[in-house]
Amino acid sequence: MVATSTCHSEYIAAYEATLQAIPLQNQLEEILTPLSNTISLLPPLLCVDNEAAIAAANKGLLTRQNRHFITKFYWLHEQIEEGKITVKYVNTKEQLADALTKPVTRSVLDTFCKNIQLHA
């Protein structure tokens, strides 16, 4: 899919991550519920570094720029409204996924490897 803006690209990533997170959450609940009825899982936390994408997802704001991905747009908003996923802003400098998706300096890559405990 081709994104037409940074907001669109972040929203697509959030949508795709949510598609993966919700079934995993459901599987965890199926495994843990028989073990203990007192365990209550928090919804998965989705870390997004674009405030416009977060606003669109949280508030269900449909604008002229994002009307072409309306199905995905409303599905993600619905998951947030139902409490199935939580979205939080993460500063670009702290976004771990960026080291895998963007050109970065050696120091940023080193910090990334340290934060995910990847050692050579």
Side-chain angles (χ1 to χ4, degrees):
M1 179 178 293
V2 176
T4 57
S5 69
T6 304
C7 174
H8 186 194
S9 120
E10 291 289 340
Y11 201 94
I12 292 167
Y15 169 80
E16 294 294 334
T18 301
L19 282 177
Q20 300 296 315
I22 299 223
L24 288 173
Q25 179 81 356
N26 292 340
Q27 285 180 339
L28 277 172
E29 287 174 355
E30 283 182 32
I31 292 168
L32 295 176
T33 300
L35 300 175
S36 172
N37 288 333
T38 60
I39 293 176
S40 177
L41 295 177
L42 294 173
L45 178 61
L46 189 61
C47 297
V48 179
D49 66 356
N50 184 283
E51 293 184 71
I54 293 171
N58 281 328
K59 298 176 184 171
L61 299 175
L62 184 62
T63 65
R64 191 172 61 85
Q65 291 84 0
N66 60 21
R67 68 176 180 259
H68 56 282
F69 60 102
I70 192 165
T71 303
K72 293 176 182 175
F73 180 87
Y74 281 114
W75 182 84
L76 179 56
H77 175 66
E78 190 175 279
Q79 302 312 303
I80 293 167
E81 286 288 306
E82 292 175 5
K84 293 183 178 177
I85 195 142
T86 304
V87 181
K88 159 186 140 173
Y89 175 75
V90 175
N91 188 300
T92 300
K93 294 177 183 175
E94 298 167 5
Q95 182 62 278
L96 294 177
D98 282 357
L100 299 173
T101 60
K102 298 177 181 175
V104 294
T105 63
R106 178 63 189 214
S107 65
V108 171
L109 185 59
D110 289 342
T111 301
F112 167 76
C113 290
K114 179 184 169 201
N115 287 339
I116 67 165
Q117 300 179 0
L118 178 65
H119 306 284

